[in-house]
Amino acid sequence: MSTGVILLAGPTASGKTAAAMAIARNWPVEIISVDSALVYRGMDIGTAKPTPAERAAVPHHLIDILDPLHAYSAAAFAADASRLIGEIQARGRLPLLVGGTMLYFKALLQGLDAMPATDPSVRAALDAEAAARGWPALHAELARVDAATAARLAPNDAQRIQRALEVWRISGKPLSAFHGRASDAIKTIAAQPYPAGAGAIISLEPEDRAWLHARIAQRLDAMLAAGLVDEVRRLRARGDLSPGLPSMRCVGYRQTWEALDVAESAGENTLQLGLSPAALAGLRDRALFATRQLAKRQLTWLRGMPGRTVVACDAPDAMEQVLRQVRRQLGPAP
């Protein structure tokens, strides 16, 4: 049996989980999640985690490994994924890496130089500046010192703008300068026997952006119906989490936290009554916009990834196309 590695990427709501399960029904795989939100315990609804049945059907890794109080980095992912690839192959199974956190794929395939650790004082200063001047002003500052990073960030992408400026202020070097040194993980991947013409990454990308937007809206509505607001309320009730943490900045969680803040500051009893219909509608609009922006960034990252094989996720035969690409990489299913 081949000991190859299967890489499956795509924007949010593109059907990655369904494609991964289709692969798992045909090959003896173990799934490694490539998702910066799925690592957190207690964040199930808003992250669209695989269901208990899906996780029981095939082993999953790098899901529920961290408390939301803590941070997880691309470098940590590359190290964990590299280790897991070796362990899965040693069991005679196939590593299937699935997700939409493109920086994690980049860290694994191309490597990252060691970046400065976070500095709470620098972050606090940046938060204060953003409160006074706005994130677009800080984005403009970033463009002056790190044009490459600023070009791929939206002017209101607070989390990434803050991190890029933090790295600049701590090290005197732009964040983009830290991207590029190959790690041992790339040697693991590059050594796999991909047939000529077969892309290392199978990328689910829509031909019609409206199709993806409709899927995003349907999934968000399902999350709200399943209790996303209650999930965030429980996380807030812990008392040790804050909206500035990476976990609470995840799309959907940030907008829900803000909606609860606004409602409670207005004296509403959200614990007993929940959010008002107007507040829920506003939350939905903001979360929908943020998720569409996330998908746009993910697609931009994907277009810059060398060697990807694109499968139109909105095609009627998308799953068959995915399986065909896997066969090209690994040979027929056993």
Side-chain angles (χ1 to χ4, degrees):
M1 186 197 324
S2 169
T3 56
V5 178
I6 313 162
L7 308 176
L8 180 64
T12 185
S14 59
K16 296 184 295 296
T17 297
M21 297 308 294
I23 294 170
R25 286 191 290 272
N26 288 273
W27 285 271
V29 304
E30 295 188 27
I31 293 173
I32 300 174
S33 169
V34 189
D35 191 298
S36 60
L38 295 189
V39 298
Y40 294 114
R41 293 187 291 270
M43 295 172 57
D44 302 325
I45 298 171
T47 60
K49 277 182 183 164
T51 66
E54 289 167 337
R55 294 171 70 174
V58 57
H60 284 68
H61 303 276
L62 300 187
I63 295 177
D64 290 339
I65 63 170
L66 209 63
D67 186 88
L69 187 60
H70 304 297
Y72 191 64
S73 68
F77 166 80
D80 287 342
S82 185
R83 170 182 53 80
L84 286 164
I85 287 169
E87 293 174 357
I88 292 168
Q89 290 178 331
R91 290 192 283 271
R93 299 177 69 83
L94 298 165
L96 169 56
L97 287 88
V98 183
T101 301
M102 303 310 165
L103 182 59
Y104 284 10
F105 276 116
K106 181 180 177 67
L108 182 66
L109 294 172
Q110 300 177 17
L112 298 173
D113 283 336
M115 285 186 282
T118 58
D119 186 320
S121 63
V122 173
R123 291 203 161 193
L126 288 166
D127 281 335
E129 291 177 38
R133 301 163 52 202
W135 285 109
L138 292 185
H139 181 267
E141 178 183 329
L142 178 63
R144 291 191 291 273
V145 299
D146 187 357
T149 298
R152 63 177 179 82
L153 299 183
N156 285 304
D157 192 345
Q159 179 179 358
R160 292 172 178 83
I161 294 170
Q162 182 188 60
R163 177 56 177 159
L165 284 173
E166 177 187 37
V167 168
W168 167 258
R169 293 187 182 184
I170 293 172
S171 69
K173 294 197 297 183
L175 180 66
S176 54
F178 290 90
H179 295 176
R181 188 177 68 187
S183 66
D184 289 340
I186 188 173
K187 300 173 186 176
T188 302
I189 301 288
Q192 304 310 321
Y194 295 114
I201 298 179
I202 301 170
S203 179
L204 296 174
E205 302 175 28
E207 291 184 343
D208 181 4
R209 193 71 62 88
W211 177 91
L212 185 63
H213 288 176
R215 294 257 303 185
I216 288 171
Q218 290 167 4
R219 191 168 73 167
L220 176 59
D221 288 339
M223 290 175 178
L224 290 169
L228 174 59
V229 174
D230 288 337
E231 182 172 75
V232 176
R233 187 187 291 109
R234 288 193 296 271
L235 291 165
R236 284 162 57 94
R238 286 179 33 159
D240 60 346
L241 302 178
S242 71
L245 290 169
S247 58
M248 293 300 101
R249 288 182 171 182
C250 291
V251 169
Y253 289 87
R254 177 190 297 187
Q255 292 75 26
T256 305
W257 189 294
E258 291 170 349
L260 288 167
D261 270 347
V262 170
E264 290 174 6
S265 67
E268 297 179 20
N269 187 339
T270 63
L271 184 60
Q272 291 185 356
L273 303 178
L275 291 175
S276 68
L280 273 174
L283 162 59
R284 182 185 185 276
D285 287 345
R286 290 188 297 276
L288 189 59
F289 176 79
T291 310
R292 287 179 176 179
Q293 291 298 108
L294 170 62
K296 182 178 179 180
R297 291 194 301 271
Q298 290 170 317
L299 287 166
T300 298
W301 271 92
L302 282 167
R303 293 189 194 103
M305 282 187 171
R308 83 191 198 281
T309 296
V310 176
V311 170
C313 53
D314 49 348
D317 63 341
M319 292 302 102
E320 289 81 358
Q321 289 188 51
V322 169
L323 296 178
R324 191 179 308 129
Q325 291 301 326
V326 176
R327 289 189 196 100
R328 291 184 67 199
Q329 294 184 16
L330 302 178

